[in-house]
Amino acid sequence: MKNKRYAIVLDTKKCLNCKACTVACKFENFVPVGDDTYRIWVTELPLQGKFPHLHQEYQTSQCQHCENAPCEKVCPTKATFTTPEGVVLVDYKKCILCKACMTACPYDARFVSEHHESVEKCTFCMHRVSEGREPACVETCPVRVREFGDLNDPNSKVSRLLSSRPYLQLKPEKNTRPRLFYVL
Amino acid sequence: MEMSFESLKETIFAQSRTLRPGMQDKHETSAWDKNRLDVESALALKNIFFYLSLIFRYPTEQIYSEIAGHLEAFTDFFTDYGGAVPELPPIDDLQPEYISLFVNNQGFVPAAPYASCYQGDGLLMSDNFYRLRQIIMESGFMLDASVHELEDHLAVLLEFCSSLLNTLVEKNNSSDKNLMACIYALLEISYRYIEPLVDDFTDKINSYASYDFYKVTGKALKSLFHDADPIYVQLLGFRSNSTNELQG
Amino acid sequence: MKKKLMSRRKFLGLSSSAIAGALFGPNLNMLTAAPTDPFDYSILPKGTREYIASNCAMCVNKCGIIGEVVNGKLHKINPNPRHVKSRGMLCAKGNAGVSLPYSPDRLKTPLLRTGKRGEGKWKEISWDEAFKYVAKNLADLKQKYENRSSVAFASTEGFQEEFYYYLVNSFGSLNTVRHTTLCLSTNIQGWSSVFGSFPDADLANAEYVLMLGSDRAQALITPDSVDFQRYKPKGQKLIVLDPRFTETGAKADRWYPIKPRTDQGFVLAMINVIISENLYDHKFVETYTHGFEELKELVAEYTPEWAEKKCEIAADEIRKTAREFADHAPRSVIYPGRRSSFYSHEVYVRQTFAILAAICGCWDTKGAVVPKSSIKLASHDVMFPFFNLTRDRVDREAVNLVKDVVPSAVQCPMIGTGLPDDSCAFLSEKDGSWITFREAVLQDDPYPVRGFFCFKQNPVQSVPNVKKTMKMLEKMEFICVIEQQMSDTAWYADIVLPHSTYLESWDPAHSIGGIWPIVEMRQPVIKPLFDTKTMFEISGGIIHEMLKIPSLWDDIDPVDLVDFKKNVVEDILDKPIQDYIKHQLVNHPGAYKQLLKEGFYTVDGGRPTYGKTLKPGFRFKSKTGKIELFNERYKEFGLFPLPKYCEPEILPDPGQYRFLVGRTAWNTHTSTQNNPYLWEIQKENAVWLNTGEAKKKGIVDGEYVRIKSKIGEQRIKAYVTEKIRPDCVFYVNGWGRKSPGMSRAYKSGASEAEIIDDVLDTISGGVCMHETFVTIKKA
Amino acid sequence: MNKGKKILTITIIAFIIGSFFSVVMAADNFTNDGNDRKGKYLFRKNCRTCHDGSSAATMSPNTKTQAQWERTFKKYERLECVEEWNKRSQGELKDVYTYLYNHGYDSPQPATCK
């Protein structure tokens, strides 16, 4: 059997800016309250146009689970590693809080966690996924901005979305090859 | 091999945040020589803990009269640690004062008397709560059914410490194997539950209190726990790496 | 250093304190010896993880939740993926519900006021003392005023509210006042005037959605907030009319920044186009409606060109919208929404919406506006005694009150006497009307009201014109508040009774009507943390104490008292609440088990049923039994029977802005601002001000401004934006709190109750929150 | 002047006239100005005991339209349960009528009798 290749596909055009995902993530993953502690976030992109012809979008973002992960490369203790499914994780016990990874990350997706006494970030909720449950942010979203699944399975929702719709990835110039895909 | 006080503390802080597996058996009884217990001091501290426990409970008439009746006996303690002898306001003033500081104020509670609120996200029953419950139960105690409180309420913690000291004294002459467990519990409660609370807690009392009573008693509580190392070293007769403290 | 430590530790030597200890009194221990056999390990973590189904109560939606309880502590609230109403979603508030039971700020024990009102001096009392105290005060008020309605009972919707009414009915007051007139009473009245009921919108199947006055992306309503985006790929078109460019507007195919208070004009012009271009559903109009000719005549003058002048939306756009709406019919929705406490002619606005749906046949069919269905539960058919000393509601008995206190409500020149000026024409008996109720109490007209109960409502913050609410509270001789937290209102109470959170209590089964009707119930997800009770237990406790006071039962038939004790007290309140729930479900075998497992129950897989009102022989709840485009009852009451356009009655002075209020998806009214996880998202509110206007006034984004109405003044941060029309300003509700204790919301931002004028819709009794004008200047 | 109020006045006059005749006309004309609350109590106490679906059809104010209630009360002598009706005074019947009429199916406040 083939390896799984996990990914998240986002249809941010649907996003209501309701922030359900960010709160769900905090409780699920013991992310403390605080403006600097978050694994995922929702940004109001700049308002376009002049009254009354306006346009606005909201963009959810997080760790991009890069196939070519800069954070992993700079980690002196190999605390950051990639699973066979392509999920970039941190071994909290190995982290020495040097923050090199935080500097290296082009997506500002890492923070220092008091709870784990480590630098941490999105894990794709692997503890849930291993039990057959969806990541907390995927599950709680009213409009299902995110879909999570296996790129190696042509019938998975993520594969079908990517084969049927154009998409872009964040900061392609960094050559990070993210596992997050934003469909248009 | 006898453990130093510092390494004992380290062991306690290295404990997992969650439940401890069958704690009694794991403790090395050789870590401490029970003959070194300063019984008189232990009794004194036991009483101070209990008295402070009474102070940080809601002052019902019964509690109030206990507080009032024994205040004089603790003059030295409060003078040394609180900087003054607390002036006890009339019960009709103390009750609202207690509620407005520790139970409910307009929409919030200024100085929540729960250890959990000083850890993690500031909410009740945070990570270490169940560990506390286990420590209490394994020490042979539980909350009385009539008490609608959480185990990490400061008053409960202080009473528990008082009871642990009592056990140490009472069983000192027996060959009870659990004495070391008692010491572990005492130190863990002191250092992992009460001590992290005292600074914030007293700061908040100071900004919201209308009377001096809880300011002074709060300061005494804070100073006492800041002074915990030498007190425990002396009282329990530990070997300490810090000679300065040993002579205390 | 060494010396100091030595001296400070002198207590360790033989000291007086060592002796003192022996003298501590008996029975002082909070801890007791844990029994060794049998040892109750249930309070210790089981080392397991449990998933317990229930329903959310962070707002009114009651979405399906599954509490994830790890080692006895609620770790997370997950959405219930199978829930037919919430469609497996849970919003930020629902997720943040985890912190509700664990908030150190929550009420923990009954508190009795000892100082002056609002001074903040309390003492703890036991529940027994509390019940006695409440019962005695009820008896005293009843004796003193010889009128049971001298005690008023405020509440808001929720599963436990039905037990509050056990208390109300056992005492016999008719003065109940609910949240409805602060929220959607105009909406219910307007739609019902046409269809006889207040419907839902089938946004999951609609092809064309016209949304006016609703921000469904932020003011979340399930399933609507889910459906209007999740099902959009099917080709649904969304047209949003709002003076603000909201998150909903950002999702729209077209957003029209309509001039506030002119929505009716836009829709009237649509009706004009649809009738004049013969685009309406002839068969539907003929079969089901009454008064089409009169309507046709009325709308003849309301051309798109006419409306353009009112709404400031181009006539062509109105025409286009009308044609599209008719083109997609019956899968076109003019969205009823929820809160409609906007303008004094709001009932007519909503009547107009309903008429548009009616003439296009967009009713009770897939993708249209559909009447609510509901699953019938067995009710406890209990008899309460008939009390002789009960007078009619104050807001009904009071005469000419409305004219005296809210004169602006009647100055609607185009309608003439289209709005009543003596009282509310269609006051809902149970809901009452907050504004008239408060006026009547303030004026002692027609009789004094001196007792006030408040269950989970916060009128100090939620009813416009807070000064009057405070005066009303001052008049009270007794105030009892039943709450989870020390709300602004609780702070002024004489006694505060702590209510358990929704995660700790059993709540009765509740039938929730809608296109996808369900039954819900709550079971405890975790054990209660403190000495709190539910309304079921509180009502039972108070009623038991009431029964000990003979004077409370001297104006009834003694036989009734015997029946009451047996049927209400013994058979219901003294029994476990589970018995009550099982009785509710007696006609639905398996429902109780299903509710324990899933938190909700449906019949027929929860599939919608369309068309039951279109079957031959169905009679609409109207005078004629038909869908009334021309309302016969309004005619009978002297109201205008057709939705004649109502010009703004009060116009802003130069330099004034119309004030608008609304919500975000991160807070529920006034109840959640102190939640750390929600506070983190929004730390204060800000007033939206159009960029051009801000420039004129030299106000820059982020600076503090003063916003002033004739009622009051607030200080608030400016949000300078293109997203709002130049003639109005806006901020979200729930901020600028009176409580220093709402530590996070206190003096952060501005309160709307401090500046909104108390204007009344006199048909439904609803408040009108968008009839206030304000000025803004740099702070 | 408000039209609603004018109508109210007319109703009151109508009622005064009505009550003159009521002595003679007995049960023929009920008006809806009795005690609504008392009516609910009497209805639930006396009528609902049978009309709860057990021995007679379930009945609530919203079971009938206002016109139907009017007719029912006009011709209650023909009903099976007329004996029960006769046990009640005219005043009590008026209270019940007021309650049922005011909350009829097509009334402004249709109600079940819960």
Side-chain angles (χ1 to χ4, degrees):
Chain A
M1 201 184 138
K2 255 177 157 183
N3 260 344
K4 287 186 191 311
R5 281 173 67 221
Y6 287 135
I8 282 184
V9 177
L10 303 95
D11 184 355
T12 55
K13 288 219 164 26
K14 287 179 180 173
C15 177
L16 306 177
N17 191 25
C18 80
K19 321 247 195 226
C21 53
T22 64
V23 180
C25 176
K26 286 218 160 178
F27 280 101
E28 181 65 43
N29 297 300
F30 304 96
V31 179
V33 171
D35 293 343
D36 301 324
T37 48
Y38 46 80
R39 287 184 174 192
I40 62 173
W41 61 92
V42 184
T43 315
E44 284 184 33
L45 296 181
L47 184 70
Q48 292 163 27
K50 282 271 172 212
F51 181 91
H53 303 288
L54 301 174
H55 181 76
Q56 183 156 37
E57 286 191 24
Y58 310 93
Q59 192 183 66
T60 49
S61 191
Q62 59 180 78
C63 165
Q64 302 286 312
H65 291 276
C66 311
E67 288 177 7
N68 184 22
C71 56
E72 186 176 357
K73 290 204 187 89
V74 299
C75 181
T77 61
K78 305 228 178 318
T80 297
F81 64 101
T82 305
T83 70
E85 298 93 349
V87 184
V88 179
L89 295 178
V90 180
D91 183 341
Y92 305 136
K93 285 188 192 121
K94 285 189 186 164
C95 175
I96 54 166
L97 288 163
C98 74
K99 301 187 186 174
C101 55
M102 289 170 66
T103 318
C105 175
Y107 305 99
D108 190 22
R110 291 174 162 253
F111 68 97
V112 177
S113 158
E114 244 180 73
H115 180 84
H116 289 121
E117 289 166 4
S118 164
V119 172
E120 63 144 282
K121 58 165 202 75
C122 165
T123 61
F124 270 172
C125 279
M126 283 309 280
H127 59 291
R128 287 171 67 110
V129 172
S130 64
E131 295 168 356
R133 298 191 291 150
E134 292 178 317
C137 57
V138 175
E139 179 188 60
T140 208
C141 179
V143 291
R144 288 199 77 89
V145 164
R146 290 174 173 86
E147 288 292 355
F148 172 83
D150 177 13
L151 293 175
N152 282 345
D153 173 2
N155 291 318
S156 68
K157 280 180 189 162
V158 287
S159 298
R160 276 184 287 153
L161 271 167
L162 292 183
S163 61
S164 63
R165 291 173 66 176
Y167 59 86
L168 54 81
Q169 294 193 290
L170 301 185
K171 301 194 181 176
E173 72 280 6
K174 302 274 180 188
N175 191 30
T176 53
R177 300 207 303 279
R179 281 285 177 87
L180 262 77
F181 303 85
Y182 292 76
V183 292
L184 299 168
Chain B
M1 168 72 198
E2 188 184 312
M3 250 192 257
S4 73
F5 180 70
E6 286 75 17
S7 56
L8 185 69
K9 251 180 97 174
E10 231 166 72
T11 320
I12 285 166
F13 278 95
Q15 307 266 13
S16 91
R17 282 162 191 265
T18 51
L19 298 182
R20 31 188 207 176
M23 59 179 233
Q24 282 106 330
D25 308 335
K26 300 270 160 92
H27 298 312
E28 285 196 41
T29 42
S30 64
W32 177 65
D33 176 2
K34 64 182 178 178
N35 295 324
R36 291 194 195 156
L37 180 75
D38 176 348
V39 173
E40 298 254 304
S41 298
L43 282 173
L45 187 60
K46 174 200 125 174
N47 289 328
I48 282 166
F49 280 158
F50 198 82
Y51 190 64
L52 284 172
S53 165
L54 293 176
I55 282 175
F56 290 104
R57 289 180 206 188
Y58 177 70
T60 59
E61 277 177 30
Q62 187 199 11
I63 299 291
Y64 184 86
S65 74
E66 291 289 339
I67 295 174
H70 297 290
L71 187 53
E72 213 192 318
F74 295 93
T75 308
D76 285 354
F77 168 71
F78 283 116
T79 317
D80 289 351
Y81 283 88
V85 180
E87 198 181 318
L88 187 66
I91 186 166
D92 289 345
D93 293 329
L94 193 66
Q95 287 182 339
E97 172 85 345
Y98 184 91
I99 289 172
S100 70
L101 286 172
F102 308 124
V103 184
N104 284 114
N105 205 312
Q106 197 168 3
F108 81 135
V109 51
Y114 303 96
S116 288
C117 297
Y118 299 84
Q119 300 165 358
D121 54 9
L123 297 172
L124 298 165
M125 291 176 80
S126 60
D127 290 359
N128 289 334
F129 181 80
Y130 283 99
R131 184 177 170 84
L132 169 69
R133 208 172 243 187
Q134 189 190 17
I135 296 171
I136 292 176
M137 288 198 83
E138 290 186 350
S139 305
F141 295 99
M142 61 187 287
L143 270 183
D144 192 272
S146 65
V147 177
H148 295 281
E149 262 309 344
L150 296 170
E151 282 88 341
D152 67 339
H153 190 287
L154 179 60
V156 179
L157 296 175
L158 287 163
E159 184 189 315
F160 182 48
C161 287
S162 175
S163 303
L164 287 169
L165 281 165
N166 194 48
T167 311
L168 275 182
V169 171
E170 276 184 2
K171 296 193 175 166
N172 195 33
N173 294 323
S174 74
S175 56
D176 198 313
K177 278 195 291 186
N178 289 339
L179 282 184
M180 197 56 211
C182 251
I183 288 180
Y184 266 90
L186 178 64
L187 297 185
E188 187 163 355
I189 301 301
S190 301
Y191 289 112
R192 286 184 74 174
Y193 294 87
I194 302 178
E195 209 242 25
L197 159 151
V198 293
D199 286 3
D200 258 17
F201 181 68
T202 48
D203 283 355
K204 281 174 179 157
I205 292 175
N206 288 335
S207 18
Y208 286 92
S210 313
Y211 299 91
D212 282 343
F213 184 74
Y214 292 116
K215 288 187 191 171
V216 174
T217 52
K219 190 180 170 195
L221 173 87
K222 176 172 149 178
S223 316
L224 180 66
F225 279 88
H226 281 187
D227 202 21
D229 283 2
I231 291 175
Y232 282 135
V233 166
Q234 178 181 337
L235 190 147
L236 301 168
F238 272 114
R239 182 175 70 78
S240 170
N241 296 338
S242 158
T243 46
N244 191 13
E245 293 302 322
L246 245 184
Q247 289 166 10
Chain C
M1 180 71 188
K2 206 189 288 177
K3 210 172 176 187
K4 194 180 167 208
L5 284 170
M6 287 281 285
S7 74
R8 282 183 68 188
R9 260 175 263 129
K10 65 186 170 199
F11 77 91
L12 286 178
L14 183 64
S15 78
S16 53
S17 55
I19 306 151
L23 304 174
F24 285 127
N27 306 323
L28 287 170
N29 287 336
M30 300 169 95
L31 290 166
T32 181
T36 43
D37 189 37
F39 198 77
D40 179 18
Y41 279 105
S42 69
I43 67 162
L44 280 183
K46 296 178 189 79
T48 54
R49 191 164 48 157
E50 292 167 282
Y51 292 97
I52 299 163
S54 189
N55 296 283
C56 188
M58 294 296 283
C59 78
V60 299
N61 281 306
K62 304 171 184 76
C63 299
I65 59 170
I66 295 179
E68 185 177 341
V69 182
V70 180
N71 289 337
K73 174 160 188 216
L74 180 61
H75 162 59
K76 178 155 191 305
I77 300 176
N78 293 311
N80 183 342
R82 293 166 294 277
H83 199 276
V84 291
K85 182 174 176 286
S86 54
R87 316 267 204 253
M89 73 82 111
L90 196 66
C91 74
K93 294 171 284 179
N95 274 286
V98 174
S99 46
L100 206 62
Y102 301 114
S103 166
D105 300 337
R106 58 181 292 191
L107 290 165
K108 305 167 187 85
T109 181
L111 295 176
L112 185 70
R113 178 173 66 83
T114 60
K116 289 192 207 109
R117 277 224 184 107
E119 194 187 8
K121 288 191 170 177
W122 305 92
K123 70 173 194 179
E124 285 189 14
I125 54 170
S126 70
W127 277 103
D128 281 349
E129 290 170 298
F131 292 150
K132 273 198 182 72
Y133 181 84
V134 172
K136 184 183 177 301
N137 275 280
L138 282 171
D140 289 352
L141 285 159
K142 181 240 156 201
Q143 286 302 90
K144 185 169 174 188
Y145 295 100
E146 296 182 327
N147 171 18
R148 290 169 181 273
S149 298
S150 64
V151 182
F153 292 82
S155 62
T156 189
E157 67 78 43
F159 290 180
Q160 288 278 342
E161 195 191 18
E162 67 184 90
F163 299 124
Y164 188 61
Y165 274 83
Y166 272 77
L167 176 62
V168 175
N169 293 331
S170 302
F171 179 66
S173 170
L174 288 191
N175 279 320
T176 56
V177 55
R178 302 180 69 246
H179 73 290
T180 321
T181 52
L182 303 174
C183 183
L184 76 167
S185 62
T186 45
N187 217 344
I188 295 173
Q189 180 57 235
W191 279 86
S192 301
S193 77
V194 177
F195 292 108
S197 68
F198 180 56
D200 281 346
D202 184 7
L203 296 186
N205 296 298
E207 287 176 4
Y208 194 82
V209 178
L210 184 62
M211 213 176 256
L212 302 94
S214 288
D215 181 8
R216 214 58 328 142
Q218 287 287 294
L220 301 172
I221 298 282
T222 52
D224 300 8
S225 294
V226 173
D227 293 352
F228 94 106
Q229 280 304 295
R230 207 187 273 187
Y231 297 98
K232 202 169 158 59
K234 273 198 259 173
Q236 187 194 66
K237 228 173 195 177
L238 176 67
I239 312 298
V240 171
L241 284 86
D242 197 317
R244 291 190 300 132
F245 184 76
T246 60
E247 268 83 347
T248 309
K251 294 279 166 284
D253 295 274
R254 295 203 301 275
W255 167 64
Y256 295 122
I258 189 167
K259 186 176 177 176
R261 211 188 191 278
T262 67
D263 297 28
Q264 190 194 9
F266 184 94
V267 181
L268 282 170
M270 283 179 70
I271 296 171
N272 169 295
V273 172
I274 287 167
I275 293 178
S276 61
E277 296 185 7
N278 212 11
L279 303 172
Y280 62 95
D281 186 333
H282 288 254
K283 190 162 172 256
F284 188 91
V285 166
E286 201 173 301
T287 317
Y288 300 106
T289 71
H290 164 79
F292 182 75
E293 287 310 315
E294 289 91 335
L295 175 72
K296 191 174 173 180
E297 199 182 313
L298 174 86
V299 299
E301 60 174 300
Y302 301 134
T303 60
E305 284 69 24
W306 166 87
E308 179 178 325
K309 291 191 202 102
K310 308 285 174 196
C311 318
E312 301 179 1
I313 298 169
D316 284 350
E317 296 292 316
I318 303 175
R319 210 165 256 124
K320 179 164 86 179
T321 307
R323 287 170 188 159
E324 287 173 348
F325 189 90
D327 191 36
H328 287 278
R331 289 204 181 197
S332 290
V333 159
I334 176 156
Y335 187 64
R338 193 172 159 92
R339 181 176 80 94
S340 57
S341 47
F342 300 156
Y343 305 109
S344 63
H345 69 311
E346 193 67 35
V347 170
Y348 290 131
V349 178
R350 304 291 159 160
Q351 183 192 24
T352 313
F353 291 7
I355 287 172
L356 172 66
I359 61 166
C360 295
C362 304
W363 173 260
D364 206 359
T365 178
K366 206 171 185 178
V369 166
V370 181
K372 296 179 201 293
S373 303
S374 66
I375 299 166
K376 216 173 165 214
L377 297 179
S379 66
H380 286 72
D381 213 357
V382 290
M383 280 289 290
F384 291 93
F386 181 80
F387 300 101
N388 283 313
L389 294 178
T390 296
R391 288 186 61 177
D392 201 356
R393 300 189 57 93
V394 280
D395 41 9
R396 198 205 304 279
E397 269 199 24
V399 174
N400 272 328
L401 199 63
V402 168
K403 191 171 191 172
D404 291 349
V405 297
V406 273
S408 62
V410 300
Q411 297 161 5
C412 196
M414 287 299 283
I415 294 188
T417 54
L419 295 169
D421 62 1
D422 50 357
S423 60
C424 304
F426 296 111
L427 186 72
S428 166
E429 280 181 291
K430 204 173 167 186
D431 298 342
S433 162
W434 248 111
I435 297 288
T436 20
F437 167 80
R438 189 177 64 189
E439 282 311 324
V441 173
L442 288 175
Q443 300 194 17
D444 288 341
D445 178 9
Y447 55 77
V449 173
R450 292 292 182 273
F452 187 65
F453 274 69
C454 195
F455 173 46
K456 285 193 179 178
Q457 223 192 9
N458 188 12
V460 169
Q461 190 67 23
S462 60
V463 183
N465 200 343
V466 64
K467 290 188 187 85
K468 283 191 179 178
T469 308
M470 296 308 294
K471 267 190 205 143
M472 182 194 86
L473 292 180
E474 277 162 30
K475 280 190 97 96
M476 297 298 166
E477 290 166 25
F478 175 64
I479 302 174
C480 170
V481 172
I482 301 149
E483 254 293 1
Q484 279 171 197
Q485 55 182 347
M486 188 68 92
S487 67
D488 311 78
T489 307
W491 189 244
Y492 294 95
D494 302 320
I495 184 165
V496 181
L497 305 179
H499 197 276
S500 309
T501 68
Y502 69 100
L503 295 161
E504 299 165 300
S505 64
W506 283 96
D507 282 0
H510 208 78
S511 172
I512 299 175
I515 300 175
W516 295 268
I518 56 168
V519 173
E520 292 191 345
M521 177 190 89
R522 292 200 186 101
Q523 60 184 321
V525 172
I526 50 166
K527 285 185 179 176
L529 268 69
F530 293 103
D531 195 13
T532 58
K533 288 187 190 296
T534 62
M535 201 61 230
F536 179 75
E537 298 161 312
I538 294 170
S539 284
I542 296 172
I543 291 167
H544 268 291
E545 289 301 328
M546 285 167 65
L547 284 168
K548 294 178 190 162
I549 305 174
S551 71
L552 272 168
W553 311 96
D554 60 5
D555 58 337
I556 65 166
D557 182 345
V559 179
D560 281 359
L561 182 57
V562 176
D563 289 350
F564 172 74
K565 279 182 186 163
K566 170 82 181 64
N567 300 332
V568 177
V569 183
E570 284 171 33
D571 285 358
I572 295 175
L573 297 172
D574 288 355
K575 295 261 168 72
I577 188 170
Q578 289 91 326
D579 289 7
Y580 184 92
I581 299 170
K582 284 174 189 160
H583 179 263
Q584 291 181 299
L585 301 167
V586 73
N587 300 321
H588 300 278
Y592 185 69
K593 269 193 181 162
Q594 163 76 6
L595 283 165
L596 287 177
K597 193 169 152 248
E598 285 288 1
F600 73 97
Y601 166 79
T602 54
V603 175
D604 194 24
R607 273 184 291 278
T609 45
Y610 300 102
K612 54 186 186 300
T613 65
L614 303 177
K615 289 189 179 132
F618 180 84
R619 202 178 192 294
F620 286 87
K621 283 181 182 172
S622 65
K623 200 81 176 148
T624 57
K626 293 195 152 199
I627 296 169
E628 290 192 354
L629 310 175
F630 178 99
N631 190 288
E632 292 291 344
R633 192 169 306 286
Y634 283 9
K635 190 182 165 198
E636 189 182 301
F637 272 74
L639 305 172
F640 204 84
L642 291 160
K644 196 165 172 172
Y645 186 72
C646 183
E647 294 285 356
E649 65 218 22
I650 337 164
L651 289 164
D653 292 334
Q656 281 189 326
Y657 302 91
R658 189 180 283 276
F659 178 72
L660 311 175
V661 69
R663 289 178 54 185
T664 63
W666 321 307
N667 280 300
T668 303
H669 303 310
T670 68
S671 63
T672 51
Q673 282 77 7
N674 223 12
N675 187 310
Y677 290 86
L678 298 173
W679 173 80
E680 179 185 276
I681 300 172
Q682 186 189 22
K683 298 184 179 67
E684 63 180 288
N685 60 355
V687 61
W688 293 35
L689 180 64
N690 178 275
T691 321
E693 293 299 304
K695 207 170 184 181
K696 275 190 233 162
K697 292 181 177 292
I699 293 168
V700 294
D701 187 46
E703 90 174 289
Y704 280 89
V705 295
R706 294 210 159 269
I707 178 167
K708 192 179 176 187
S709 75
K710 73 175 199 196
I711 298 303
E713 190 177 290
Q714 294 280 283
R715 183 175 177 272
I716 183 172
K717 213 181 241 186
Y719 172 52
V720 174
T721 177
E722 287 287 287
K723 298 200 286 189
I724 188 163
R725 285 174 57 94
D727 56 0
C728 47
V729 295
F730 163 89
Y731 58 73
V732 295
N733 74 345
W735 295 88
R737 309 294 286 280
K738 283 193 130 35
S739 324
M742 297 296 286
S743 44
R744 296 183 176 92
Y746 176 55
K747 288 185 178 167
S748 304
S751 150
E752 76 281 4
E754 297 273 0
I755 68 162
I756 298 181
D757 197 356
D758 42 347
V759 176
L760 183 69
D761 152 62
T762 50
I763 300 182
S764 74
V767 307
C768 310
M769 299 202 186
H770 295 183
E771 295 279 27
T772 298
F773 298 104
V774 295
T775 54
I776 285 192
K777 59 176 188 208
K778 287 166 95 93
Chain D
M1 155 134 190
N2 178 283
K3 277 182 198 160
K5 217 166 144 200
K6 211 184 278 175
I7 283 160
L8 187 73
T9 326
I10 293 165
T11 327
I12 291 168
I13 295 166
F15 163 64
I16 296 167
I17 297 167
S19 58
F20 275 120
F21 287 97
S22 63
V23 187
V24 211
M25 295 170 72
D28 280 351
N29 280 332
F30 287 104
T31 48
N32 67 331
D33 54 348
N35 185 333
D36 193 316
R37 188 169 63 89
K38 183 101 193 223
K40 178 177 181 178
Y41 167 82
L42 290 168
F43 176 79
R44 286 169 50 81
K45 192 162 177 149
N46 300 299
C47 311
R48 275 285 283 192
T49 41
C50 297
H51 283 289
D52 60 352
S54 53
S55 54
T58 320
M59 204 165 277
S60 268
N62 68 2
T63 315
K64 293 180 190 295
T65 63
Q66 291 184 319
Q68 286 168 330
W69 283 124
E70 226 174 306
R71 280 200 294 279
T72 308
F73 272 71
K74 221 168 214 167
K75 300 177 178 175
Y76 73 78
E77 283 92 346
R78 298 182 195 173
L79 297 174
E80 264 181 62
C81 53
V82 62
E83 272 179 43
E84 296 300 320
W85 289 69
N86 288 335
K87 286 180 197 164
R88 307 261 74 91
S89 72
Q90 287 296 300
E92 287 178 329
L93 290 183
K94 189 167 91 171
D95 292 340
V96 175
Y97 175 75
T98 302
Y99 167 62
L100 296 172
Y101 182 87
N102 286 355
H103 300 278
Y105 184 82
D106 59 343
S107 70
Q109 309 283 351
T112 61
C113 65
K114 220 186 120 185

